Amino acid sequence: MRISELSRTGGVPIATIKFYLREGLLPPGQPTAANQAEYGEQHLRRLRLIRALVGIRGLSVGTAKEILAAVSENVDDTHQMLGLVIGARPVDKEKGEKEAEAEAGDDPLAEGLAEVDELLERTGWEVSEHAPAKRVIAETLTTLRSLGADVDWRTLLPYAELAGRTAVLDLDQLRDADDPLEQAERALVLTVLLEPVLLALRRLAQESESARRHGG
């Protein structure tokens, strides 16, 4: 397909595609003339993944480029690739390890992180040692306790069990996507766009449960 068709099918302006080509986010097409090239399905899938990373996940072009490079290296490792695009696994593993070592001595979240490890041990989940979500949970536990809330990792266990069932539903949505880039794009879209829906469903369920318990 010509760049005009790539633009129309991918939903990205030609000028933006040319920018992605210059920046190396999108590989060059097959030259057919001095100023013309042909693009294939892989270009379309990569373009859609770029659009999802930049437009939906809100990453900078530089960060998206780093993730795409890491994805290209792990295209045959679906688990690692999906972790990279949804932000569950660090792009630069060595950088993450060095940062963790630097913070180990005086990390204000050390206690919370230890509790997250307890939670993960109880659930049996296999996650990256430096998964960003671990710090989110640790920070939340630390903040809740500073406000006087009596919570620990045990409080989160029932929620973790619900999250585990949600993850099964999430990954089931990828079963009919054979191409790795298509899987990555779909996982990213589902993760980012469904999160507000999950929160909204929780609010509706809370209202319904309150009506059941306390409503007249």
Side-chain angles (χ1 to χ4, degrees), residues 156-192:
L156 300 182
L157 190 56
Y159 295 96
E161 292 169 350
L162 289 173
R165 293 199 290 275
T166 301
V168 172
L169 295 174
D170 289 339
L171 271 292
D172 283 347
Q173 301 297 318
L174 309 180
R175 286 184 299 188
D176 60 343
D178 297 325
D179 184 89
L181 293 182
E182 184 182 357
Q183 286 185 331
E185 180 210 0
R186 191 178 299 184
L188 180 56
V189 170
L190 283 170
T191 299
V192 177

Side-chain angles (χ1 to χ4, degrees), residues 16 19-20 23-25 50 53-54 58-68:
T16 303
F19 172 71
Y20 290 159
E23 293 296 315
L25 278 79
I50 295 169
L53 287 169
V54 176
L59 300 180
S60 67
V61 169
T63 302
K65 185 176 181 179
E66 290 181 9
I67 291 178
L68 288 166

Side-chain angles (χ1 to χ4, degrees), residues 35-52:
N35 296 311
Q36 294 183 353
E38 285 286 330
Y39 302 91
E41 285 298 316
Q42 285 298 103
H43 287 92
L44 179 59
R45 287 179 176 135
R46 188 175 176 98
L47 179 61
R48 285 173 170 163
L49 180 56
I50 295 169
R51 185 179 65 176

Side-chain angles (χ1 to χ4, degrees), residues 46-167:
R46 188 175 176 98
L47 179 61
R48 285 173 170 163
L49 180 56
I50 295 169
R51 185 179 65 176
L53 287 169
V54 176
I56 296 176
R57 195 172 157 200
L59 300 180
S60 67
V61 169
T63 302
K65 185 176 181 179
E66 290 181 9
I67 291 178
L68 288 166
V71 165
S72 297
E73 294 176 1
N74 294 276
V75 72
D76 294 324
D77 184 346
T78 302
H79 173 59
Q80 175 70 5
M81 183 183 63
L82 294 179
L84 289 168
V85 298
I86 65 176
R89 300 172 75 84
V91 177
D92 189 337
K93 184 179 178 182
E94 292 184 2
K95 180 180 178 181
E97 291 174 348
K98 290 178 181 178
E99 290 177 348
E101 290 174 0
E103 295 174 345
D106 55 353
D107 191 346
L109 297 180
E111 182 180 347
L113 287 168
E115 286 198 72
V116 175
D117 288 337
E118 289 275 1
L119 177 65
L120 293 175
E121 183 176 354
R122 178 62 64 92
T123 59
W125 291 355
E126 297 180 24
V127 303
S128 168
E129 183 179 354
H130 305 294
K134 292 179 62 176
R135 295 193 69 83
V136 173
I137 297 172
E139 184 174 2
T140 302
L141 286 173
T142 302
T143 301
L144 285 170
R145 277 200 290 270
S146 72
L147 296 173
D150 183 19
V151 297
D152 59 14
W153 67 268
R154 297 172 186 80
T155 310
L156 300 182
L157 190 56
Y159 295 96
E161 292 169 350
L162 289 173
R165 293 199 290 275
T166 301

Side-chain angles (χ1 to χ4, degrees), residues 194-204 206:
L194 272 183
E195 282 183 346
V197 174
L198 295 177
L199 180 58
L201 287 171
R202 184 186 183 193
R203 293 289 181 265
L204 294 175
Q206 287 173 336

